[in-house]
Amino acid sequence: MRVLVLGGGGQVGRALDARAGAMGHDVYAFPRDGLDATDEAMLRAALETTGAQALVNAAAYTAVDRAESEPEAAHALNADAPGMHARVAADLGLAYLHVSTDYVFAGDGRVPHKESDPCAPRSVYGSTKRAGEVAAWRAGGRVAILRTSWVFAPWGNNFVRTMLRLAAARPELRVVDDQRGGPTSALDIADAIFRMLPKLADPAEAEATGLFHFQGRPAVTWAAFADAILDEGAKHGHPRPPVVRIATVDYPTPAVRPANSVLDCARYARVFDAAPPDWRLALPGAVAALLGESKA
């Protein structure tokens, strides 16, 4: 399948490009400076030129804290653009897959969130991403929305890179231990998307549209994830300072984070016959690549 990817320079976009061949797809991944995800004319021209059969939106305004002071910019890319994408895809008879986030939930309780649970985002980032979900679905066509969380990769800016950088500079790391979620490899997300697209493009596959959750297992806190990252880094001779567990109130940020980001992935597993991945299998490769990049 020929797939046009918006946000090709980000973690998921790069993963889609990297995994395309192995998964039997041709990908045209456009970074932000190659195709403005908010420009309908540019999008239509790119779809026509590439002959794409599916459109994947991995572009987003992801600066969670900065979004609190730049709501217009966040809204343009996260809320307005997905509706336009879905409408264009529907006009051209293409499948459209939109990548979303756990931030659409308030994050209350300890039970994993199902797709049917009410959304109550507590940040500009979360509210604009939720608006984008609604806009994409209302546009009609063959639309799937894939919510994921705590994304990391062997490239880009992510929690793994941050922990490794801080470990080399500080005697101890203070990390929040009362927010719980599922770290998810961008490469695993790419594989999940490629499994989804053939069914999403098939009108006979009624269950392939709508909301899906996809997240790494097991669920952990940020502090526990940090410990795993530093343990892996230590295998490469990287400094391994202790992790001091703190509460969210001890690390205030402009945007409110969900305390419970655990997602119920049963629907994805059933429809696409694939269990949620174990993030611990992807972590060693990400750590090795990021450490190698820092030493290059």
Side-chain angles (χ1 to χ4, degrees), residues 11 14 152-156 158 161 185-187 282 285-287 289-290 293:
Q11 292 187 99
R14 290 179 64 179
F152 69 93
W155 46 70
N158 55 60
R161 181 190 292 276
S185 164
L187 291 165
V287 169
L290 291 169
E293 178 185 298

Side-chain angles (χ1 to χ4, degrees), residues 159-224:
F159 186 75
V160 178
R161 181 190 292 276
T162 298
M163 291 299 101
L164 294 172
R165 174 177 55 81
L166 294 178
R170 298 183 181 180
E172 65 179 27
L173 301 188
R174 294 167 56 82
V175 185
V176 169
D177 196 42
D178 56 0
Q179 295 174 23
R180 189 173 182 82
T184 315
S185 164
L187 291 165
D188 287 332
I189 296 171
D191 289 348
I193 289 172
F194 285 134
R195 281 193 294 268
M196 294 175 72
L197 290 178
K199 283 192 173 184
L200 180 60
D202 184 351
E205 296 284 352
E207 283 198 303
T209 64
L211 286 167
F212 295 93
H213 289 171
F214 182 83
Q215 182 182 68
R217 293 289 188 264
V220 289
T221 67
W222 284 115

Side-chain angles (χ1 to χ4, degrees), residues 43-63:
L43 176 59
R44 287 183 180 272
L47 289 168
E48 181 178 350
T49 300
T50 59
Q53 299 164 293
L55 174 61
V56 174
N57 180 36
Y61 185 107
T62 57

Side-chain angles (χ1 to χ4, degrees), residues 1 15 19-20 27 34-35 54-55 61 64 71-72 82 97 118 135 144 167-168 170-171 199 202 225 227-228 250 257:
M1 178 178 286
R19 293 292 296 151
V27 160
L35 198 166
L55 174 61
Y61 185 107
V64 175
E72 295 84 3
L97 190 145
R170 298 183 181 180
K199 283 192 173 184
D202 184 351
F225 188 28
D227 268 325
D250 298 322
R257 269 72 173 169

